[in-house]
Amino acid sequence: MVGPQISDEGLMLAFKAGDARAFETLVRRHRAPVFNFILRFTGHRARAEDVLQETWLKVVRSAREYEAKAKFTTWLYTIARNLCVDSARKESYRQASSLEAPTGNGAGGDEGRPLGEGLPDGGASPERGAYNARLRPLLERALASLPEEQREVFVLREYSGIAFKEIAEVTGVSENTVKSRMRYALEGLRKRLVEMGVDGDLAEDGRTVAG
């Protein structure tokens, strides 16, 4: 029986055995963080939605071969990342500023809002709400300016909450390389935020806004 206490791996094995409700639970648990990762990897909402759909379709199609040898999230994010890479290869251009472009779809009253503002929030405390609202769009632009390998590590760690060891498995590099990319990402974000006029001390807090 599917329940909130069942692990991701248990749910995937249940789905493999034919329990559709287990798959629905997995989607509810991981849709938002996976979409955040895909969106920030691709930089395009429409493409990100397509890749998200492809990711879950790939999960369904690969269910028969699934074995709980590694964490489900490692397997899931590896699928998502590979599809992001494939999508990027098919595109002849990248729009680094797309996160600040209006969504224009009007869904949920988001029409005309910057894309970065429409992403799920990590739940900032009330006293930091106004500050975060000002800094978040700047952080999104700074994040978009990072090299892709640094950006994906930052997003996996800070937005999706993936451990460094697991990120190493997803990206296919060593854990030390992942930590190095994270360090460079943080340095790059701080530098870019300062260039955009954010006070040095506040730039240090950019990671808090991301979380």
Side-chain angles (χ1 to χ4, degrees), residues 13-35:
L13 290 174
F15 174 59
K16 178 179 180 180
D19 189 342
R21 293 174 302 170
F23 178 73
E24 294 171 359
T25 300
L26 285 170
V27 173
R28 284 197 300 271
R29 283 184 184 180
H30 299 288
R31 186 186 188 283
V34 172
F35 181 67

Side-chain angles (χ1 to χ4, degrees), residues 59-180:
V59 169
V60 171
R61 292 168 181 164
S62 304
R64 290 183 179 179
E65 292 78 39
Y66 176 78
E67 295 181 10
K69 293 181 178 179
K71 292 186 65 175
F72 171 78
T73 48
T74 302
W75 185 65
L76 176 62
Y77 278 95
T78 299
I79 290 174
R81 180 181 185 271
N82 289 340
L83 289 172
C84 283
V85 171
D86 290 343
S87 176
R89 287 172 179 167
K90 295 175 184 177
E91 296 293 329
S92 59
Y93 64 92
R94 291 186 62 86
Q95 300 176 0
S97 62
S98 63
L99 284 173
E100 291 304 305
T103 59
N105 58 17
D110 286 341
E111 185 172 3
R113 293 175 60 196
L115 180 56
E117 292 183 9
L119 297 171
D121 199 323
S125 59
E127 62 270 18
R128 293 183 62 86
Y131 160 67
N132 286 356
R134 291 193 299 272
L135 184 56
R136 186 176 292 277
L138 298 177
L139 177 62
E140 294 294 345
R141 287 203 295 272
L143 186 60
S145 72
L146 290 178
E148 186 175 280
E149 61 186 19
Q150 294 176 22
R151 184 171 67 251
E152 72 171 351
V153 169
F154 182 88
V155 172
L156 284 169
R157 178 63 176 172
E158 297 298 325
Y159 288 92
S160 300
I162 305 299
F164 285 129
K165 181 178 180 180
E166 195 174 346
I167 293 174
E169 295 178 29
V170 170
T171 57
V173 297
S174 71
E175 187 173 349
N176 283 339
T177 297
V178 167
K179 291 179 179 178
S180 177

